């Protein structure tokens, strides 16, 4: 049986357990929340972008068309290609924001002038 780690979603204050051999996207889907965007599940479409704000993880190959080396350095990855290695805190990005109630606290966009 695989070890499980707690994952905190900052945007919605939800938490779920994710097994070390399960990608973060599959764990999110187990929440039963409607509207979670799911695409290719292979790191090639970019719809499941998240930012890991705390914790250790293993990231597998992702398309550079959707996640740059600079983003990876900032913890921005695709949930379908990330496996937890410790407790994780993440903020959903891009197309995932709508499903989780908006930007994470502190990540709201500045108002337009």
């Amino acid at each position: 049986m695989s070890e499980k780690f707690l994952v905190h979603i900052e945007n919605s204050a939800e938490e779920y357990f994710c097994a070390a051999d399960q990608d973060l996207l599959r764990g999110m889907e187990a929440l039963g929340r409607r509207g979670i965007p799911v695409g290719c599940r292979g790191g090639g479409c970019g719809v499941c972008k998240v930012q890991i704000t705390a914790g250790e993880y293993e990231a597998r190959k992702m398309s550079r068309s959707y996640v740059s080396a600079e983003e990876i350095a900032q913890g921005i990855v695709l949930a379908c290609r990330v496996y937890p290695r410790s407790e994780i805190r993440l903020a959903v990005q891009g197309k995932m924001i709508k499903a989780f109630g908006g930007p994470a606290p502190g990540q709201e966009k500045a108002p337009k002038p």
Side-chain angles (χ1 to χ4, degrees):
M1 187 167 155
S2 184
E3 188 174 5
K4 291 187 177 186
F5 299 102
L6 188 60
V7 179
H8 307 270
I9 302 173
E10 295 176 357
N11 307 66
S12 63
E14 290 174 278
E15 299 176 334
Y16 65 93
F17 282 96
C18 189
D21 62 353
Q22 178 183 50
D23 64 64
L24 296 178
L25 181 60
R26 294 233 187 246
M28 280 182 207
E29 290 178 292
L31 288 170
R33 180 181 276 276
R34 293 179 59 183
I36 295 174
V38 176
C40 70
R41 295 185 190 278
C45 73
V47 301
C48 62
K49 193 177 277 193
V50 299
Q51 181 172 23
I52 308 294
T53 59
E56 299 295 320
Y57 58 92
E58 175 187 338
R60 298 198 179 151
K61 189 174 180 178
M62 295 171 259
S63 171
R64 288 288 189 254
S65 297
Y66 297 103
V67 184
S68 68
E70 293 80 19
E71 286 177 312
I72 290 172
Q74 297 169 16
I76 298 172
V77 293
L78 301 179
C80 70
R81 303 303 290 160
V82 173
Y83 297 79
R85 298 297 178 247
S86 74
E87 187 170 325
I88 296 282
R89 295 192 73 80
L90 65 82
V92 297
Q93 307 282 306
K95 295 179 180 181
M96 295 203 52
I97 288 175
K98 185 176 178 182
F100 287 92
Q107 292 190 349
E108 295 86 359
K109 288 186 179 179
K112 293 182 181 179

